[in-house]
Amino acid sequence: MMEMKYYNTYYYANIVQNVCENSFSYLRNLDDLFGGEYRILDFIMPFNKKSVLHEFIEFVIRSIFVEEASELDNINCREKKNWDSSNPTYITPLEVVLNKYDLNHENFMVWSEKEDCNVSRESFEMYYEYLFTEDAFDEVIYKLSKDVFYVLFLNREFLQKFNKLLSSYLEGCLYEEDAKRIILADNLTDIVRTNFKLYRKNIPMWVQRAVFFRDRGRCTHCNKDLSGILAIGNLENYDHIVPLNLYGFNDITNIQMLCRECNSEKSGDAWKVSIKYETWY
């Protein structure tokens, strides 16, 4: 079981979706994660429990807080509940998140007094720079990312767009001699081919179970029951949403359930994923 705080979870999820779907607008930032020096090769290890999407979400949320640091002032950091102009108290948005997740940290009022800082845009930015070095910040990024992942993992259409983004970076390595040298130097030849398409790997049981329950034990294309409860002749097949021959990844976010017939028909093609979901009642 995991504890969901649901603190702005959908807000962050929406930003992550926007970054993925409008990747060209964020190209320079995304290159810091996936592009420069062929960093995409850092993410090709098969079926890590900390998926590539977890890494992507953490990157986006960190970027949000970094951008936020330069936009704070003594208006948007006022403690609104107990505001007293004669004895003003300030709390930054990042502190609100840290408090929501019950993470210990030195608050702005204590820090500013210790640092002998006046309340100003510069002092808020300095405070954020201080928080960025603290363990509590890494912990809140981790916790926020888990919550956002839980929401986005249910959205197969988003997962397809995200994995297409990954595949574009991997395919971009194809004609780069430096990328080929990295494969040899890092002993990645059992994971990635010389044409930068990944080898098929056995799908771990934890991935199968997660995908089975997410997809409700049904073929996501034809809706055939694959649970073995209502019919024993239907076998589940675990399919790469973006096929490996199209530079797809061995990542839990790139796996869906299909029946044997649909999987055979799809083969190595790129099908549009189903946006149909079983209703709860």
Side-chain angles (χ1 to χ4, degrees):
M1 299 295 290
M2 64 176 286
E3 185 179 76
M4 289 283 290
K5 292 290 186 179
Y6 281 113
Y7 180 77
N8 281 350
T9 303
Y10 294 100
Y11 165 76
Y12 293 116
N14 185 54
I15 293 178
V16 170
Q17 283 186 278
N18 285 338
V19 172
C20 179
E21 293 172 6
N22 302 287
S23 56
F24 185 78
S25 302
Y26 297 91
L27 191 58
R28 189 175 68 177
N29 287 342
L30 291 181
D31 278 350
D32 290 340
L33 180 64
F34 294 137
E37 300 178 359
Y38 317 105
R39 290 190 177 93
I40 191 65
L41 297 177
D42 293 337
F43 301 97
I44 62 174
M45 296 301 291
F47 299 113
N48 283 325
K49 288 197 172 181
K50 186 176 183 180
S51 71
V52 190
L53 181 55
H54 283 98
E55 301 277 4
F56 183 68
I57 295 169
E58 286 190 4
F59 176 81
V60 172
I61 294 177
R62 282 180 187 275
S63 300
I64 292 171
F65 286 123
V66 169
E67 291 178 12
E68 183 179 85
S70 61
E71 299 170 354
L72 301 176
D73 56 39
N74 60 355
I75 301 298
N76 56 29
C77 291
R78 286 181 177 178
E79 173 59 270
K80 297 176 177 61
K81 287 184 179 179
N82 303 304
W83 179 252
D84 180 356
S85 57
S86 62
N87 185 27
T89 305
Y90 297 92
I91 181 169
T92 63
L94 180 50
E95 285 178 86
V96 174
V97 182
L98 291 168
N99 290 338
K100 185 68 177 179
Y101 282 89
D102 302 318
L103 295 172
N104 292 326
H105 63 284
E106 189 169 76
N107 66 47
F108 174 77
M109 298 303 294
V110 172
W111 176 87
S112 60
E113 183 176 353
K114 187 176 73 174
E115 297 292 326
D116 195 23
C117 289
N118 294 323
V119 175
S120 65
R121 184 183 296 273
E122 290 74 19
S123 62
F124 287 124
E125 189 167 0
M126 289 170 58
Y127 176 64
Y128 263 48
E129 290 174 358
Y130 155 73
L131 283 180
F132 292 160
T133 66
E134 294 295 292
D135 291 341
F137 179 66
D138 291 332
E139 185 68 14
V140 83
I141 294 295
Y142 169 74
K143 289 179 179 292
L144 275 173
S145 299
K146 279 185 67 176
D147 289 357
V148 173
F149 177 88
Y150 184 84
V151 171
L152 292 178
F153 185 63
L154 301 175
N155 185 340
R156 288 188 297 269
E157 187 174 36
F158 164 76
L159 296 181
Q160 183 176 55
K161 291 175 182 177
F162 174 68
N163 278 281
K164 283 183 177 179
L165 175 65
L166 297 182
S167 69
S168 69
Y169 276 98
L170 188 57
E171 186 176 7
C173 295
L174 186 56
Y175 302 106
E176 302 292 341
E177 291 301 320
D178 286 344
K180 294 177 182 178
R181 282 192 283 271
I182 289 173
I183 290 177
L184 295 174
D186 293 351
N187 295 318
L188 299 174
T189 52
D190 62 332
I191 297 172
V192 59
R193 305 173 192 269
T194 54
N195 61 4
F196 287 93
K197 296 178 181 180
L198 301 184
Y199 285 105
R200 186 174 301 277
K201 299 295 182 179
N202 290 332
I203 299 176
M205 184 56 65
W206 65 267
V207 173
Q208 294 183 32
R209 286 177 58 82
V211 172
F212 181 91
F213 285 107
R214 182 200 64 196
D215 293 342
R216 310 289 290 168
R218 310 187 78 84
C219 174
T220 58
H221 185 67
C222 72
N223 199 38
K224 185 182 294 179
D225 174 67
L226 302 175
S227 66
I229 297 174
L230 300 178
I232 61 174
N234 300 329
L235 298 176
E236 74 268 20
N237 283 242
Y238 293 90
D239 166 69
H240 288 78
I241 296 172
V242 175
L244 294 176
N245 73 302
L246 297 179
Y247 300 92
F249 274 55
N250 289 306
D251 190 78
I252 188 172
T253 63
N254 195 34
I255 304 297
Q256 65 180 346
M257 279 191 69
L258 294 179
C259 66
R260 181 169 49 193
E261 291 77 15
C262 287
N263 193 38
S264 178
E265 183 182 349
K266 177 178 182 282
S267 187
D269 296 333
W271 277 10
K272 183 174 176 63
V273 294
S274 171
I275 58 173
K276 293 181 179 179
Y277 295 87
E278 185 180 22
T279 57
W280 295 103
Y281 62 91

